[in-house]
């Protein structure tokens, strides 16, 4: 059963990866860079500050840092535990796939990019939902966009992405609940 699932995962990877073209490669390399999104994060932080104030924004920032650390470390734990080679590491796939990334790490299950972007989307989406009703949907679209970049570039299978998004969403929800508890304690202590 696992072998069949992995075979379907490889077939779906090859299908989704085949949509690429050299003219779009640089665009997707930029999309996948974490540094590309700093202005976007700054804008979201500004919106949070504008709606919640300084004290609450500081609590949100601490929870966001814990959340990103959790997604990154959990991803590393899974990668080193499962040791599933990335598609770009397999000789039998190199002939049929497109590899457009700058480098190819060794293990890929599950994607830290997918996990951290989905965690951020859920966390910030829930924070901003009372003020901007479309924020969660836009942020979820952004997270899927970033996650797809990993398939496009040839460094992750769809199952790596789906698993990363699942754990990211769970951690994002947990971080949202944590910040609610901490903000409540902070406000009652004042």
């Amino acid at each position: 059963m696992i072998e069949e699932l992995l075979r379907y995962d490889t077939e779906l990877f090859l299908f989704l990866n085949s949509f690429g073209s050299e003219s779009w490669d640089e665009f997707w390399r930029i999309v996948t860079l974490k540094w590309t999104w700093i202005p976007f994060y700054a804008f979201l932080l500004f919106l949070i500050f504008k709606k919640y104030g300084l004290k609450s924004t500081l609590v949100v920032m601490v929870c966001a840092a814990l959340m990103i650390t959790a997604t990154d470390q959990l991803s590393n734990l899974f990668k080193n535990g499962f040791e599933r080679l990335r598609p770009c590491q397999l000789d039998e796939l190199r002939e049929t796939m497109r590899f457009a990334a700058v480098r190819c790490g060794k293990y890929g299950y599950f994607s830290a990019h997918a996990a951290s972007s989905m965690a951020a989307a859920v966390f910030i989406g829930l924070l901003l939902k009372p003020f901007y009703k479309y924020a969660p949907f836009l942020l979820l679209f952004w997270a899927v966009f970033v996650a797809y970049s990993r398939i496009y570039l040839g460094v992750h299978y769809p199952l790596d992405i789906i698993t990363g998004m699942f754990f990211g969403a769970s951690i994002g929800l947990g971080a949202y609940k944590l910040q609610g508890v901490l903000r409540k304690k902070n406000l009652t202590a004042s």
Side-chain angles (χ1 to χ4, degrees), residues 3-184:
E3 291 300 319
E4 191 174 347
L5 177 65
L6 295 177
R7 185 174 54 80
Y8 287 135
D9 194 31
T10 300
E11 289 174 11
L12 183 58
F13 163 76
L14 290 171
F15 174 73
L16 294 172
N17 176 259
S18 72
F19 290 129
S21 69
E22 284 186 34
S23 59
W24 283 94
D25 289 353
E26 189 58 31
F27 170 77
W28 288 102
R29 281 191 285 267
I30 291 169
V31 167
T32 208
L33 286 174
K34 293 177 183 179
W35 305 113
T36 299
W37 299 103
I38 288 176
F40 180 62
Y41 297 140
F43 174 69
L44 294 172
L45 189 59
F46 169 74
L47 293 178
I48 292 167
F49 171 74
K50 185 175 149 188
K51 297 299 181 182
Y52 287 96
L54 180 61
K55 280 179 136 180
S56 291
T57 301
L58 293 174
V59 170
V60 165
M61 290 173 66
V62 168
C63 289
L66 291 171
M67 174 186 74
I68 297 305
T69 301
T71 58
D72 188 54
Q73 294 307 307
L74 187 60
S75 172
N76 287 335
L77 183 68
F78 268 66
K79 285 176 184 172
N80 293 323
F82 283 94
E83 295 183 347
R84 183 182 188 199
L85 293 174
R86 293 174 185 258
C88 50
Q89 289 288 344
L90 297 174
D91 292 334
E92 62 268 20
L93 289 182
R94 285 192 191 126
E95 303 284 326
T96 55
M97 66 172 274
R98 293 188 74 257
F99 178 68
V102 175
R103 63 179 188 81
C104 178
K106 190 166 185 178
Y107 302 124
Y109 184 77
F110 60 84
S111 169
H113 277 78
S116 60
S117 60
M118 183 55 81
V122 168
F123 180 59
I124 297 169
L126 289 171
L127 281 168
L128 295 178
K129 185 181 178 186
F131 311 105
Y132 308 101
K133 68 179 181 177
Y134 296 112
F137 304 106
L138 294 171
L139 288 164
L140 290 174
F141 176 79
W142 163 78
V144 170
F145 188 67
V146 170
Y148 172 72
S149 74
R150 309 304 288 163
I151 295 171
Y152 179 97
L153 294 172
V155 296
H156 280 292
Y157 293 100
L159 193 55
D160 301 345
I161 300 302
I162 292 166
T163 305
M165 293 178 90
F166 170 77
F167 281 108
S170 301
I171 292 169
L173 180 60
Y176 174 74
K177 289 181 178 184
L178 176 63
Q179 70 76 36
V181 169
L182 294 176
R183 281 191 324 109
K184 191 177 216 177

